[in-house]
Amino acid sequence: MTRPFDPQAIKLVIFDLDGTLIDSRLDLVHSVNAMLRHFKHAELPDEIVASYVGDGAPMLVRRALGDPNDEGFFKEALGFFLGYYREHKLDHTTVYEGIPQALETIRAGDRDRKMAVLSNKPVNPSRAIVEALGLAGFFVRVYGGNSFETKKPDPLGVKTLLNETQTSPENSMIVGDSSVDVVTGRNAGIFTCGVTYGFAPHTLCEAPPDVTVHNPQELEALFR
């Protein structure tokens, strides 16, 4: 159930990373298919791999392999994927056009407003990408899928950020491209914003966000 809210009252904005701030589709696709080639599996189409993104690297690899029963093989494949992605995470990954301007507007609108990243991607590549693409200065924290005992949609990451920034749920919002982010926000009692330009806009029908934007310019306008 969606709720009306005042964007100007938001003091903490938590962003998903892949499909929300950055277009990392090609590097993820190439890394998954490199892993599949290495283990003599058929490669997958780009759109299939992209649809598997959002629940962290282990689930991405598990889905790409068709949920293998052999845990030893799965762990070996996950290790290969992570190693390959570590080397190639910035080959084609870019910031979505308009995101830097949106972040500037969100920050400029309220000096007390804070922003953070909460991704299900492992934390080290998440932070390296944010740093390399010039976004690190916007965020008070960058957390990944292995920063906590649980991943999104569990609310632990959001609740940690609320505590660390001393922000109440009613003054906080999560921005993401999938139902995982919306459900995370609901579980933590914060407002939700869905973006339809990312990897999994079709999933937003499963968990409608409080507000939906179709491009970074609309996100910026929300806070202008």
Side-chain angles (χ1 to χ4, degrees):
M1 189 170 181
T2 61
R3 301 177 295 163
F5 70 98
D6 176 11
Q8 300 309 316
I10 298 299
K11 299 296 185 183
L12 173 65
V13 186
I14 301 168
F15 289 91
D16 176 45
L17 186 58
D18 299 279
T20 301
L21 296 174
I22 63 169
D23 184 355
S24 53
R25 181 189 302 254
L26 263 184
D27 289 333
L28 288 166
V29 168
H30 290 173
S31 299
V32 165
N33 279 329
M35 178 269 296
L36 292 172
R37 282 196 309 273
H38 181 77
F39 292 102
K40 306 296 191 290
H41 284 243
E43 294 185 31
L44 293 169
D46 292 13
E47 60 272 16
I48 295 296
V49 176
S51 74
Y52 292 162
V53 174
D55 292 297
M59 189 57 70
L60 172 60
V61 170
R62 191 173 287 283
R63 287 168 175 159
L65 291 170
D67 197 13
N69 293 320
D70 185 338
E71 281 300 302
F73 165 62
F74 165 69
K75 288 177 180 176
E76 186 181 356
L78 176 60
F80 183 94
F81 167 80
L82 290 171
Y84 189 95
Y85 186 68
R86 191 178 302 118
E87 296 298 320
H88 297 275
K89 62 184 177 292
L90 288 162
D91 287 359
H92 303 282
T93 292
T94 58
V95 180
Y96 282 113
E97 185 178 351
I99 283 295
Q101 296 87 338
L103 296 176
E104 284 283 7
T105 296
I106 293 169
R107 179 168 65 181
D110 185 338
R111 286 190 309 169
D112 294 326
R113 185 179 291 141
K114 296 178 174 65
M115 293 183 284
V117 171
L118 179 61
S119 176
N120 275 345
K121 183 197 291 292
V123 64
N124 286 339
S126 294
R127 288 178 175 166
I129 290 170
V130 166
E131 183 76 38
L133 296 181
L135 299 179
F138 289 108
F139 304 115
V140 295
R141 297 284 190 277
V142 176
Y143 286 134
N146 55 346
S147 293
F148 308 102
E149 294 175 3
T150 55
K151 296 181 174 71
K152 296 182 295 184
D154 188 276
L156 178 58
V158 170
K159 288 183 176 180
T160 301
L161 285 165
L162 293 175
N163 183 56
E164 289 178 345
T165 60
Q166 296 185 308
T167 311
S168 64
E170 57 267 26
N171 295 120
S172 304
M173 182 177 77
I174 188 168
V175 182
D177 70 317
S178 78
S179 60
V180 171
D181 302 298
V182 178
V183 175
T184 303
R186 288 182 184 174
N187 288 342
I190 68 174
F191 291 104
T192 58
C193 175
V195 305
T196 63
Y197 55 81
F199 297 170
H202 57 283
T203 66
L204 294 175
C205 298
E206 303 165 10
D210 295 315
V211 64
T212 302
V213 298
H214 303 291
N215 53 58
Q217 290 74 26
E218 288 186 11
L219 178 64
E220 180 182 7
L222 193 65
F223 287 91
R224 189 176 291 128

